[in-house]
Structures are given as structure tokens and as C-alpha cells.
Amino acid sequence: MSDTGSSTRYLDQGKPPERFARGWHCLGLESAFADGKPHGIEAFGTKLVVWQDSQGGTNVLDGYCRHMGGDLTQGSVKGDEVACPFHDWRWGGDGKCKQIPYARRVPLRARTQKYPVVIRNGQVLVWHDVEGGAPDMDVLPPELPGIGTDEWTDWFWEVVPIEGSNCRELIDNVVDMAHFYYVHLSFPTSFRNVFEGTRATQYMASKGRPDVSGGYGDAEMFLKSEATYYGPSYMINWLEVDYKGFITEVVLINCHLPTGPDSFTLQYGIAVKKPEGLDEKTAQYIAKKYATMFGEGFLQDVHIWKNKVPVQNPLLCEEDGPVYQLRRWYEQFYVDVADIAPEMVDRFEFEVDTTKANEFWQAEVAENLAKKAREDGEGADGVANPEAEGKPQVMTGT
Amino acid sequence: MASFVPLSPDTLEDQRLYTSARLTEVACLDCLATVGVKKNSEHHTSIQWSTEARAHCPELTRRAGGRESHAGCPRMLASIETAVREGAVPVGAEDGY
């Protein structure tokens, strides 16, 4: 045994990956690329160019022209093609150079890197595979019934560039039961993980913390959450929020684009099922409120990530989730398809014991409330908890 | 080619401890599936399926694909409960793993 009770434990920070994960990655909302202009999206250690052609199809190529390296994202859309600002080479969505207006003919080898595109739930997904394998349609995230109709709000979509962290920090949250209490100020009462194939799921029930709430989330907010990663970077989080008996259905998309070994772009989208009897404006207000709440929740994570070190040998206690098994699952996206080991994709189920944690947290919350009551009684300014307002009480999935 | 390459050999031992140590084989009472089970406490359960076991489970095969495929197989869960009750699966953690 490498560790005995007497030896000091060291952190193994490991070496960051040399490639980017294989799988479907979300570039953003389809509507964001529909203005007839080329758009630049940082991803996979390069920049991609995204544009919509005259048929309404979304095309994605490597952002740099194979001629002299011009930045296609600063070019223009001419017909169905993107034109380089440097020498006007025209590139089609199939990756072929279609036209060089000043040349007699186009070199046969004028092909650039194209990314297969699928539009799903109003979002642009691209397939990334360093081995150049065909896109796997079987592992696409599912279509969400009702989304895109009048029954749900539109997506509230946010983009947050993250510097100084590898995207695996974000993945780790799938199994991190206790951080929901400490970082996101919610209170997980049950917690379960299932990994199988290219999917990794977290099931969680939680409630708000009464000691730190500021009028939004509180002890009367109960949440049921089911969050599944479909591949390495795209999570759908189904949420059922019960606030004083008023139930709201929310879908949160949590996805990211790796941009470098220690940077990624976090994106998240929120859609809310419009509660019956509520007018459009109120439904929009609720959706926006959730979007703000989750946005702040991510920033709480980001603060931790920016200041922590990577760790390949986390030391776990009995109440922790299956970090090692999650990372074993995540590994499948970083090896060649031929090297995917059975244990990376075999079904694994894990039920976290939240009993002890809940006992302790109940007691801590009660103590905080008692302390607050004493302070209020002593005639403090009545601002019992100035920092609590607006903090997310129901952060989930991540 | 790994997502992160550990630098210390001790990390490999940690990986082994957390993922495969102390797994007890439990056979389903209703089908041919056999899984690895670890119980760190009454409420905690860790279930490792193999490709073969997964192929044997009619319940999970029936549900494959949709969101519902992530719930456990009730027959396997009942088999594990029985094995625990009969003392075949030890309950308790060893230093956090």
C-alpha cells in the first residue's frame, strides 16, 4: 500500500492532455450566426469560422485560410461561401475552395478542415475528432420536446470565457456532492450517479439553505435535478423547482468548448416551461431570474477553479462521489477509438450516502440561524445577511 | 494520450483502490448478470457492471436509450439488498475507499 497512516500525502498535478476531446460540442445558438456574416469561435486550440449560407444551413470550418493563413472570420459571406479578406479565396461549407476569382483554376488540394454540423434544440453542435472519424449520430444529445414552441421560453444564453483551468474541473462537478453546500449554498439531500457509454448522469434532490438565503431561495425551495452529459462537453439538466408548492420546469444546458490546455469557454442556456396562467412577461421574468442565478453559481465555481491546482490523486472520504470512476469515463474521449477500454464505458452506479452530511449541515444551519437571531436581537442594523441576496440556492448539475 | 497523465506511480494505486478494491460479486436472482458491489455504509452502494452482465439484464436492455435507462434495475437492486442482508456483502468503508 502506497499510503500508510504516517506518510505525508502529496498532490499529483499530472500533465494536462495533449488533445481535445472527441465528441459533439456546442458553438452557441443557431440564431446567433444567422446574420449573413462570418463569426469567429475559439475552440480546439484554433479559431473556427461559422456562417449561414443562403439555404439557411450553418457551416463551420477552421478559421484560417489554407492559402496564406488569412483570418476568414474577418472576411465576408459571398453567396454560400465565406471569402477570405486577404485574397478573396472562397470556401464552401464542404471544406473545398470553390473559387479564386483572380486565378484560372483552383488547386485540387484546396481543402480545409470542416466540422460536421447538427442543429439540435436551436443550437449549433459540431463534431470534433482528432482521428478524423465520421460524426457519431447515435451519441447526439436528444431533442427536447416542447422547446422551441410557445410552451417554453426561448433560450437565455450566456457565454463565459474561463482562463487558467482545464475543462475537466467542470466535469468533476458531476460527482461533487458536498460542493453544492459549500460553494453553491444549496443542500443536497440525495445524490446518485450513473455512467454508461458516452453518458454520465447526476441525480440530485436538494433544498435551499435558510441561513444564507435572501428572499429568493430559502428552506421552502425544493429541487429535483437530473443532469446528463451527452459526451464530453454537453450537459442537459432537467430541473423541477418546487417553491412553496409552485412547481416550475426548467431545462439548463451546460456546455463548454475547450480552447487550450488551461482554458475553455463555458456556455449555458436556460429555458423555462411557461407556467399555466402566467402571462408571457412573468414567464420571461422567471426565466431571466433563473439564468441570473445559475450564472452567479458558475462564477462561484470559476473562483474556486482559478485558485485551485489540478489533482490527479484526489483523496476522498466516504461521503464523496465517484471521482475516479467519472474520470475513467471521461478518459474515453481522449484516447483513440481503438483504445477505449471496456471499464471506461461499462455501466457504473453510485449512491452517495448523504446521511452524515445532512445531520451535520442541519446542525450548522440551525446554529447559523440562532446566531443571526441573537445578533438581530442585539439591535444590529437588521442587515442579517447582506451577501446572501441573489445567491443561487438551487445550483445543480455543475 | 490520456486526458491527464499522472506523474506519480502512487496515483495508479489510488485509481485501483477507488475503482476496483473491495468489490464483492453479486449475482442477480432473476437473470444471469453478475456485478461488483461495494457498500461503504447502509445507504451507500457502488455497482460496477461489466459488458457481459449488462447484456444479460433484460430490464436495462429494454429501457436502453432514453432518460429512463439511468434508473437502476429493480431486480438487481433487490438481489444486492438480499446479499447484504445475508452478510455476503460487507458494509463499511476502509479509509474512505
Side-chain angles (χ1 to χ4, degrees):
Chain A
M1 203 107 338
S2 54
D3 261 307
T4 63
S6 60
S7 65
T8 306
R9 201 168 163 91
Y10 292 95
L11 287 173
D12 180 354
Q13 297 197 21
K15 278 194 304 186
E18 289 168 1
R19 61 163 76 172
F20 297 102
R22 171 183 48 253
W24 292 101
H25 292 76
C26 179
L27 302 187
L29 293 182
E30 184 186 21
S31 55
F33 304 111
D35 58 359
K37 292 178 187 148
H39 293 258
I41 297 280
E42 301 281 340
F44 316 122
T46 182
K47 185 158 70 172
L48 314 181
V49 61
V50 187
W51 80 98
Q52 201 176 71
D53 58 37
S54 61
Q55 328 301 321
T58 303
N59 305 284
V60 182
L61 302 179
D62 185 76
Y64 297 100
C65 183
R66 293 313 192 237
H67 175 220
M68 294 287 280
D71 184 346
L72 297 173
T73 72
Q74 293 177 5
S76 52
V77 175
K78 295 182 179 170
D80 287 339
E81 290 129 30
V82 63
C84 182
F86 202 178
H87 305 91
D88 203 27
W89 285 37
R90 315 279 178 85
W91 296 91
D94 60 0
K96 290 184 197 162
C97 181
K98 303 289 185 188
Q99 198 191 343
I100 305 167
Y102 65 86
R104 211 169 267 123
R105 59 181 71 92
V106 176
L108 292 172
R109 290 177 295 151
R111 279 167 184 256
T112 187
Q113 165 105 53
K114 72 156 191 174
Y115 291 85
V117 176
V118 166
I119 304 296
R120 184 90 354 156
N121 301 313
Q123 300 151 15
V124 178
L125 304 186
V126 295
W127 175 257
H128 173 262
D129 180 4
V130 289
E131 289 184 275
D136 188 346
M137 300 299 179
D138 293 339
V139 299
L140 273 167
E143 289 181 35
L144 296 164
I147 298 260
T149 72
D150 263 357
E151 289 169 30
W152 287 72
T153 66
D154 289 336
W155 293 111
F156 281 84
W157 198 261
E158 297 287 342
V159 180
V160 189
I162 312 280
E163 295 288 336
S165 309
N166 183 274
C167 53
R168 200 184 62 182
E169 302 291 353
L170 175 61
I171 303 293
D172 277 347
N173 281 0
V174 169
V175 293
D176 194 345
M177 187 274 288
H179 99 290
F180 287 102
Y181 179 83
Y182 295 103
V183 180
H184 301 305
L185 311 178
S186 81
F187 205 132
T189 50
S190 76
F191 197 97
R192 173 180 159 79
N193 289 115
V194 178
F195 313 141
E196 185 169 10
T198 54
R199 294 188 283 178
T201 300
Q202 172 201 86
Y203 298 91
M204 181 167 70
S206 64
K207 56 185 179 183
R209 272 175 67 175
D211 58 328
V212 286
S213 72
Y216 186 65
D218 59 30
E220 290 183 83
M221 179 174 272
F222 295 91
L223 188 93
K224 272 191 232 158
S225 160
E226 177 188 330
T228 298
Y229 264 105
Y230 292 87
S233 77
Y234 188 93
M235 173 194 268
I236 301 178
N237 190 172
W238 288 272
L239 297 157
E240 191 188 290
V241 189
D242 178 343
Y243 186 61
K244 297 185 175 174
F246 184 77
I247 291 172
T248 314
E249 269 186 73
V250 180
V251 169
L252 166 70
I253 301 297
N254 158 30
C255 58
H256 67 273
L257 281 168
T259 50
D262 62 350
S263 62
F264 60 97
T265 305
L266 172 70
Q267 302 196 61
Y268 59 92
I270 311 261
V272 175
K273 189 172 185 188
K274 296 175 191 168
E276 270 182 46
L278 280 194
D279 60 80
E280 184 69 26
K281 211 174 136 193
T282 313
Q284 294 290 334
Y285 172 80
I286 292 175
K288 211 168 165 187
K289 190 93 184 167
Y290 282 123
T292 308
M293 190 171 73
F294 286 113
E296 284 167 359
F298 280 118
L299 295 181
Q300 294 164 347
D301 278 322
V302 169
H303 182 74
I304 296 280
W305 296 334
K306 279 193 165 170
N307 294 285
K308 77 182 286 296
V309 293
V311 49
Q312 308 322 311
N313 60 339
L315 179 65
L316 306 179
C317 66
E318 286 167 45
E319 279 66 26
D320 286 327
V323 181
Y324 284 86
Q325 287 88 345
L326 177 73
R327 290 176 171 191
R328 182 181 64 183
W329 168 84
Y330 189 54
E331 200 67 31
Q332 64 176 296
F333 306 113
Y334 287 85
V335 298
D336 286 354
V337 171
D339 295 331
I340 297 173
E343 64 265 24
M344 294 175 188
V345 292
D346 277 341
R347 184 180 175 91
F348 173 76
E349 303 174 37
F350 193 98
E351 180 88 29
V352 174
D353 187 345
T354 59
T355 322
K356 165 66 194 164
N358 273 275
E359 278 169 25
F360 175 76
W361 290 337
Q362 296 280 14
E364 186 171 78
V365 163
E367 200 178 299
N368 288 346
L369 288 173
K371 195 172 150 202
K372 202 165 90 177
R374 275 199 305 279
E375 284 167 3
D376 288 352
E378 282 160 14
D381 305 341
V383 188
N385 191 18
E387 87 264 63
E389 178 74 40
K391 280 197 179 176
Q393 312 296 314
V394 293
M395 192 65 192
T396 65
T398 55
Chain B
M1 227 42 114
S3 70
F4 267 90
V5 183
L7 299 176
S8 160
D10 291 348
T11 300
L12 300 178
E13 173 60 6
D14 277 327
Q15 287 173 349
R16 190 195 66 79
L17 272 186
Y18 286 110
T19 59
S20 54
R22 300 180 48 241
L23 286 178
T24 305
E25 285 204 344
V26 173
C28 182
L29 298 172
D30 294 301
C31 81
L32 293 172
T34 297
V35 296
V37 175
K38 186 164 77 173
K39 273 193 84 72
N40 287 344
S41 69
E42 205 60 49
H43 188 72
H44 165 268
T45 315
S46 181
I47 307 173
Q48 180 64 62
W49 292 75
S50 64
T51 314
E52 193 195 353
R54 180 66 179 72
H56 280 311
C57 179
E59 175 75 23
L60 292 179
T61 304
R62 201 163 31 241
R63 301 194 235 139
R67 279 171 69 183
E68 67 279 6
S69 71
H70 282 287
C73 169
R75 292 183 186 85
M76 180 56 84
L77 295 179
S79 306
I80 292 170
E81 271 175 36
T82 306
V84 171
R85 209 164 41 239
E86 290 170 351
V89 178
V91 179
E94 240 171 74
D95 204 33
Y97 66 85

